[in-house]
Amino acid sequence: MQQLGREAIPKQQQEEEKKIPIGISNRHVHLSVHDLEILFGRDAKLTKFKDLSQPGQYACEEKVTLVGPKGVIENVRILGPTRKQTQVEISVSDCFKLGVRAPIRDSGDLGGSAGLTMVGPAGSVTVPEGCIIAARHIHMHPQDAASFSVKDGDRVDVQCYGPRGVIFCEVLARVNENYKLEMHVDMDEANAASLRNGDFVKIVR
């Protein structure tokens, strides 16, 4: 059977292909092996609770309490697998509750970020840095990036629709063979735009 060229694909189908699903990130923690063992005991291993949308990523049974100068947040879930450096991702609202000044950063950009204390069943860890408000971003497979004509590290504007529709500016495109197409926002951003998991948005430049 002859393969149809893109010009032969109905316009409605082309528009469907341009939609990006939303994934809403609640506060969570990525732990280093060192900090995992302090919080949960020597030789502790993460226990998978469920797989996440991104391949190889999963939510864990393990949870910690975050402690800041002004307050605490309990039952904050750990995400696996472990990382080289502990990273705590919270929202602006969480910053007010904890009393920390976490900067808006891309994942992994932790130098000079906020510090706080985590408490687990076996001990506590105070990290001098590593607490951030994760910058909104889009995970893309290289094929998705080609379809959208963007490359890794590009910043794009993204529109969501509805009664509280907004345009999210400067959204980071993260391109990797292991990624599945999805835009990540935190709870504050999702609530402001009345977004739910699985809603769709579009790049508008």
Side-chain angles (χ1 to χ4, degrees):
M1 181 181 294
Q2 183 178 4
Q3 185 176 7
L4 292 176
R6 186 163 185 85
E7 67 278 1
I9 300 175
K11 182 177 180 181
Q12 182 177 356
Q13 183 178 342
Q14 292 183 31
E15 289 300 311
E16 290 292 324
E17 293 173 358
K18 291 296 185 180
K19 290 182 178 179
I20 301 171
I22 281 286
I24 301 169
S25 297
N26 200 356
R27 67 183 74 94
H28 60 271
V29 177
H30 302 276
L31 286 176
S32 67
V33 172
H34 175 267
D35 291 344
L36 172 65
E37 292 190 341
I38 293 176
L39 292 166
F40 294 94
R42 186 175 180 180
D43 298 324
K45 304 294 182 183
L46 294 174
T47 308
K48 184 185 292 187
F49 171 64
K50 66 176 182 179
D51 289 317
L52 300 178
S53 58
Q54 294 304 310
Q57 304 295 305
Y58 53 91
C60 303
E61 296 282 0
E62 290 78 16
K63 299 178 182 179
V64 294
T65 296
L66 303 183
V67 182
K70 292 185 177 180
V72 302
I73 299 178
E74 299 179 329
N75 295 317
V76 179
R77 194 173 294 279
I78 309 302
L79 300 189
T82 54
R83 296 190 177 185
K84 291 182 179 180
Q85 183 176 355
T86 292
Q87 177 172 301
V88 181
E89 298 183 31
I90 61 176
S91 68
V92 174
S93 297
D94 293 336
C95 287
F96 290 121
K97 184 171 184 177
L98 293 169
V100 299
R101 293 187 176 183
I104 299 173
R105 294 281 185 84
D106 298 332
S107 180
D109 182 10
L110 304 180
S113 57
L116 49 61
T117 297
M118 295 170 289
V119 179
S124 64
V125 173
T126 298
V127 292
E129 61 183 20
C131 181
I132 64 171
I133 300 166
R136 49 193 177 236
H137 55 277
I138 304 172
H139 290 275
M140 289 184 173
H141 187 273
Q143 291 180 350
D144 299 314
S147 175
F148 288 102
S149 299
V150 300
K151 61 182 184 299
D152 186 52
D154 281 354
R155 305 274 176 172
V156 297
D157 294 346
V158 176
Q159 185 167 7
C160 67
Y161 300 88
R164 303 188 74 182
V166 300
I167 294 178
F168 292 110
C169 299
E170 295 293 304
V171 181
L172 174 67
R174 300 177 60 190
V175 182
N176 189 285
E177 289 279 352
N178 297 318
Y179 288 164
K180 178 181 176 182
L181 182 64
E182 188 174 56
M183 176 173 166
H184 286 179
V185 296
D186 66 23
M187 292 293 292
D188 284 355
E189 293 170 310
N191 288 336
S194 292
L195 287 170
R196 297 177 297 179
N197 280 316
D199 284 349
F200 289 95
V201 295
K202 287 187 176 182
I203 293 176
V204 294
R205 298 296 172 181

